[in-house]
Amino acid sequence: MRRILLAVVVIATATLLPVHPAAASDVTPQQGRGYTVRATSEHDTRAEKTARVECPVPTRVVDVSATINDGYGDVVLTALRPNADLTGGVARARDAAGSAGTWSVTVTARCVVDVTPVLVSETETVTDGEHTVSATCPVWTRLRATGFDVTGDAVPYEVAPVAGARTVRVGARTLTTAEYSTTAVAICEPAVDTAGGAAPVSVAEPARAVDGAVPPGYGVMPFVLVNEGYAGQSTVTVGPCPAGTEVRGGGGSISGSYTTGLVAVTVDHAAETVTVSGGDYLMCCAYPTVIAYAVCS
């Protein structure tokens, strides 16, 4: 296994690759429905980078997306989550292969004023080779979006809505015996269950198509669309959401080997889709199978 070396890049001559400064936040109004805020980290050879965005006052973040630029499968996401007071979001990524060259990470947050989100997170620290952690929304709320944070020499391979679309499960794995921490994050919002106490709808198994009708009594509760890409594909899109609903957030799951990880989780509110990318960062074992999840309500 190749070791990761943290390096300070110093521009000494004109022959060295340029280090581009981080882009300023890009704030885009969404026709009276809040804002989309985007920012990109520095584009250089550092092994770990972070991109942050802040929501315009008085909006709050309701979902966070991220993608790697020029990582070529060597760079994986290690964190994608809102900040503690839901006034912004952060994405962190790491060159897990130690050979990515110049790259950057872009984070995008959707900020709105018409809901009061509830943040639920659970963290566990282990030395297991593979470990999962779950965070569950309170019974009076519905899941809006997912998030995760993995620290140490570990790579996240899953951030998935499960258990009736109220729980977020995050999985991470490591090739070492070193201690690492995994945090599962659920962004929840108040909901009224018109079915009188019934659970949200969840499509439990990967599906190529779903019925576009929302079952009676579940008009305000979320359910999950699922699409799977077979081995050999690295990017999968799921959606659009059924008529009468809109995409709230999403997640993904990567399988194939211990050296596969999440490269991108992006929510496209205009297209009502979620796109997930994964990669084998050591290019040693297998092309990943990618599952994309979209939370719709």
Side-chain angles (χ1 to χ4, degrees):
M1 176 181 177
R2 285 174 287 180
R3 302 302 299 171
I4 298 171
L5 299 178
L6 296 179
V8 177
V9 178
V10 179
I11 299 179
T13 72
T15 60
L16 295 182
L17 292 175
V19 178
H20 303 286
S25 295
D26 177 16
V27 180
T28 305
Q30 297 296 321
Q31 298 180 343
R33 301 178 62 188
Y35 301 86
T36 296
V37 186
R38 181 177 293 107
T40 300
S41 72
E42 296 86 352
H43 194 91
D44 57 28
T45 59
R46 285 182 302 141
E48 184 172 278
K49 299 185 181 73
T50 301
R52 302 178 185 274
V53 288
E54 293 293 330
C55 291
V57 177
T59 63
R60 291 292 185 270
V61 63
V62 290
D63 69 66
V64 187
S65 301
T67 189
I68 306 297
N69 310 302
D70 300 328
Y72 305 111
D74 292 339
V75 181
V76 297
L77 293 170
T78 55
L80 178 59
R81 60 178 301 172
N83 56 23
D85 59 4
L86 290 162
T87 58
V90 60
R92 188 178 65 246
R94 176 164 60 91
D95 178 1
S99 59
T102 58
W103 61 276
S104 59
V105 57
T106 297
V107 61
T108 304
R110 184 170 176 82
C111 307
V112 301
V113 295
D114 58 343
V115 298
T116 304
V118 176
L119 184 66
V120 179
S121 67
E122 295 291 340
T123 301
E124 295 182 12
T125 301
V126 298
T127 57
D128 302 345
E130 184 171 306
H131 189 70
T132 60
V133 178
S134 296
T136 300
C137 292
V139 294
W140 50 273
T141 67
R142 61 181 176 184
L143 177 66
R144 173 110 189 189
T146 67
F148 63 91
D149 195 334
V150 176
T151 63
D153 194 13
V155 170
Y157 66 88
E158 178 180 58
V159 51
V162 295
R166 282 184 52 233
T167 297
V168 176
R169 183 180 64 229
V170 173
R173 56 170 69 105
T174 180
L175 296 174
T176 75
T177 59
E179 184 177 85
Y180 68 95
S181 295
T182 304
T183 300
V185 179
I187 304 176
C188 317
E189 63 183 357
V192 176
D193 187 349
T194 58
V201 179
S202 177
V203 179
E205 299 297 327
R208 302 301 173 268
V210 293
D211 186 349
V214 179
Y218 294 96
V220 298
M221 300 301 287
F223 58 101
V224 181
L225 305 186
V226 187
N227 193 18
E228 178 180 341
Y230 297 103
Q233 300 180 17
S234 61
T235 300
V236 172
T237 297
V238 61
C241 286
T245 69
E246 63 178 284
V247 65
R248 297 292 189 172
S253 181
I254 314 297
S255 61
S257 80
Y258 255 56
T259 61
T260 54
L262 289 165
V263 173
V265 180
T266 57
V267 181
D268 188 330
H269 290 274
E272 299 289 339
T273 60
V274 174
T275 299
V276 176
S277 297
D280 180 352
Y281 56 87
L282 292 184
M283 298 183 66
C284 72
C285 307
Y287 291 104
T289 297
V290 182
I291 299 177
Y293 305 90
V295 179
C296 306
S297 63

